[in-house]
Amino acid sequence: MGLFDKIKKAFTGVEDKPVEKVEKTEEANLGEIDKYEKGLEKSRSSFSRKMNELFANFRYIDEDFFEDLEDILIESDVGFEATMEISDKLRYEAQVNNVKSMKDAERVIVETMVDMYGEVSPDSESIHFNKDGLTIILFVGVNGVGKTTTIAKMAHQFKEEGKKVLLVAGDTFRAGAIEQLKVWGSRVGAEVVSTKQGGDPAAVVFDGIKQAQDQQADVLFIDTAGRLQNKKNLMNELDKMKRVITREIPDAPHEVLLVLDATTGQNALNQAKQFRETTNVTGIVLTKLDGTAKGGIVLAIGKELGIPVKFVGLGETMNDLRPFNTEKFVYGLFSELIRDTL
């Protein structure tokens, strides 16, 4: 069963048999689904409005329809590759299965997009923990994307799960970065290992690993400088930090999480492409999704990069950074359009 059919069952209760009242699956965590629906409200409303206007402006599928559809998808930051795949699928259905009506076109588009999200979100969405001891998570990303706040929120959630966590202030270059992490560490009750501003990041990482091992910590979060790939000295520092980590724990870091600001749309995708060229990024943390209509960027990241989105920011509170869940994300982003196809 495709992802579209699974989501469809959440509305109908039984496959291909719509009922008047939409029901959510009994086993679903309704609180979690509500977070996704609320957090993706801007993206959902914007995309649904554009698609409904498209379907209202055409009576049948022609080349003008395809041009407008592709424009909408590109503007929604779905990405070029995904846009072309959706357009090609509809062209095929129009030719082979005689899809002509706007209702049928809408069904094909929504079904294709929903199932594409399922295809580009691999099983490695969750964090990989080291079963034999300390788990080291390295955070990378440019300044201003919410990297330090993300570290604090994840530390808070892991502590709530009973894990002992330590933080390393590896961004020794940006003024105020060390103090910012210390403030967050105090708020969430996590010790911060640090040095003076301008100090050696690799040295403080070494100290952090030793302290974490001595204290038998479960997880060590390492902050890094906001780095752009044309700043060679900063990239060299990141490589040096990773060498220190691997020397102390050969299979570490266990995760390298790239933090991206969803509100920047295609710029976030470009950042991801640049980091992938120089860093073994294992997952994406997409912040500020609740503040943007650019939720389609998740599909672009999956199609063009093949890097799983592991966490999404759906609000301002400590618990609004949520582990990414494909079905709940799709439900939150496409619920209005899926209803229209029933």
Side-chain angles (χ1 to χ4, degrees), residues 112-133:
T112 300
M113 291 190 70
V114 168
D115 285 338
M116 283 174 66
Y117 272 92
E119 293 169 1
V120 302
S121 300
D123 295 333
S124 56
E125 292 168 352
S126 59
I127 294 294
H128 292 147
F129 288 100
N130 179 15
K131 298 179 180 179
D132 299 322

Side-chain angles (χ1 to χ4, degrees), residues 236-309:
N236 289 340
E237 288 293 344
L238 179 59
D239 289 337
K240 184 179 176 182
M241 293 164 71
K242 291 179 68 176
R243 287 197 300 271
V244 169
I245 294 170
T246 304
R247 186 184 66 207
E248 299 303 315
I249 302 178
D251 61 343
H254 304 95
E255 293 280 2
V256 178
L257 299 183
L258 172 60
V259 183
L260 299 173
D261 181 346
T263 65
T264 63
Q266 286 297 305
N267 189 41
L269 182 62
N270 292 335
Q271 289 175 23
K273 289 178 178 178
Q274 292 173 350
F275 272 97
R276 186 186 60 174
E277 292 175 359
T278 55
T279 308
N280 182 29
V281 176
T282 60
I284 302 289
V285 180
L286 199 57
T287 66
K288 308 176 188 178
L289 261 179
D290 58 306
T292 182
K294 299 177 180 292
I297 194 65
V298 172
L299 185 56
I301 290 170
K303 289 296 293 182
E304 299 188 27
L305 300 178
I307 303 173
V309 175

Side-chain angles (χ1 to χ4, degrees), residues 86-221:
I86 294 165
S87 181
D88 290 345
K89 176 67 180 297
L90 183 57
R91 289 178 187 274
Y92 174 84
E93 292 289 336
Q95 294 173 0
V96 175
N97 294 323
N98 201 32
V99 170
K100 299 295 183 184
S101 71
M102 288 299 102
K103 186 71 174 179
D104 288 340
E106 181 178 14
R107 175 188 56 78
V108 171
I109 293 168
V110 175
E111 183 173 352
T112 300
M113 291 190 70
V114 168
D115 285 338
M116 283 174 66
Y117 272 92
E119 293 169 1
V120 302
S121 300
D123 295 333
S124 56
E125 292 168 352
S126 59
I127 294 294
H128 292 147
F129 288 100
N130 179 15
K131 298 179 180 179
D132 299 322
L134 179 66
T135 296
I136 296 182
I137 303 178
L138 188 69
F139 291 81
V140 299
V142 302
N143 291 335
V145 295
K147 184 153 43 69
T148 306
T149 306
T150 294
I151 292 172
K153 289 182 176 181
M154 287 184 63
H156 167 74
Q157 292 178 22
F158 284 7
K159 282 179 62 65
E160 291 286 298
E161 296 171 3
K163 295 181 175 64
K164 181 175 178 57
V165 303
L166 265 70
L167 315 181
V168 173
D171 183 357
T172 63
F173 296 97
R174 180 171 63 88
I178 296 172
E179 290 305 315
Q180 183 184 11
L181 190 63
K182 284 183 176 180
V183 169
W184 277 113
S186 177
R187 289 180 183 176
V188 303
E191 181 180 346
V192 177
V193 181
S194 64
T195 186
K196 63 182 179 179
Q197 183 178 338
D200 183 358
V204 74
V205 166
F206 175 81
D207 291 342
I209 294 173
K210 290 303 181 184
Q211 291 190 38
Q213 291 174 326
D214 291 343
Q215 298 180 28
Q216 295 184 322
D218 298 301
V219 185
L220 182 68
F221 295 105

Side-chain angles (χ1 to χ4, degrees), residues 19-47:
V19 295
E20 291 185 5
K21 183 178 179 181
V22 173
E23 298 288 349
K24 296 171 183 175
T25 51
E26 291 181 1
E27 63 271 26
N29 182 330
L30 297 185
E32 188 79 354
I33 288 179
D34 288 342
K35 282 184 179 293
Y36 272 87
E37 285 193 297
K38 182 178 179 181
L40 293 170
E41 184 176 359
K42 288 186 177 181
S43 290
R44 180 175 61 255
S45 298
S46 175
F47 188 67

